Amino acid sequence: MRERHAYGILLLIACVLALCSGCIAGEEVRVKSGDTVLVHYTGTLENGTVFDSSAGREPLRFTVGKGEVITGFDEGVVGMQVGEEKTLHIPADRAYGPHREDLVIVLDSAEIAGKENLTVGDQVGIPLENGQVLPATVVAVSADAVTIDANHRLAGEDLTFNVSLVEIV
């Protein structure tokens, strides 16, 4: 009976050690590709203007390496630990890409129904052959033409994000 009791205690100690092996200082869990994470962030332009923030909202949830966020952000959280804060400087080519002139389109206003109701800044949809709709912004309206820009509003911009890792799910 004593041997069984000693064996049980040893088994219990082994289980406790195995469960705590990841708890030893220096062995903290770090974000890797495939992890689902929760982060708080504030995004700014080069001039310091805040263009987006999760402040006052739920943290952003995404799976690292799945392309759910811009490339530079995805890569920037790899290696972070829960509670860590980091500043990510992301060049345009790792964010929304360069501003492409081929996505700025001048349309003949005679072909646009309701042209008289369009104003600069309006969001419009351009129907594509595959049935999808390309979002665009009206950037100019004249008597004979309407110019729309289908670039993302942050295309061509270098971005900075202050990121705080809340949780690795």
Side-chain angles (χ1 to χ4, degrees):
M1 185 68 153
R2 267 190 176 163
E3 286 179 31
R4 268 177 120 176
H5 183 68
Y7 177 71
I9 291 174
L10 286 174
L11 183 60
L12 179 61
I13 291 171
C15 288
V16 169
L17 289 174
L19 288 172
C20 290
S21 65
C23 302
I24 299 171
E27 293 188 28
E28 294 88 4
V29 177
R30 293 182 180 271
V31 174
K32 63 187 178 312
S33 186
D35 287 343
T36 298
V37 297
L38 298 174
V39 298
H40 274 297
Y41 67 91
T42 297
T44 58
L45 302 174
E46 286 183 292
N47 66 8
T49 302
V50 174
F51 64 84
D52 195 12
S53 177
S54 65
R57 302 186 318 219
E58 292 294 315
L60 173 66
R61 178 187 182 116
F62 68 98
T63 301
V64 178
K66 293 276 187 166
E68 298 171 1
V69 295
I70 59 174
T71 303
F73 197 96
D74 217 1
E75 296 168 347
V77 299
V78 172
M80 288 183 72
Q81 300 173 349
V82 172
E84 183 178 351
E85 294 184 17
K86 188 174 184 181
T87 300
L88 308 176
H89 298 285
I90 304 173
D93 66 334
R94 308 296 292 159
Y96 294 97
H99 186 272
R100 294 178 36 195
E101 286 304 316
D102 63 317
L103 294 178
V104 178
I105 305 161
V106 179
L107 303 169
D108 183 348
S109 62
E111 298 176 14
I112 301 173
K115 174 239 171 211
E116 61 279 350
N117 296 323
L118 289 177
T119 59
V120 172
D122 284 351
Q123 299 297 306
V124 295
I126 304 168
L128 303 175
E129 290 178 9
N130 64 5
Q132 292 183 323
V133 176
L134 180 65
T137 303
V138 175
V139 294
V141 178
S142 68
D144 46 340
V146 174
T147 305
I148 58 173
D149 186 347
N151 283 285
H152 187 280
R153 69 184 180 93
L154 296 172
E157 298 281 354
D158 293 334
L159 308 176
T160 299
F161 287 93
N162 292 316
V163 180
S164 174
L165 181 62
V166 176
E167 181 179 354
I168 301 172
V169 181

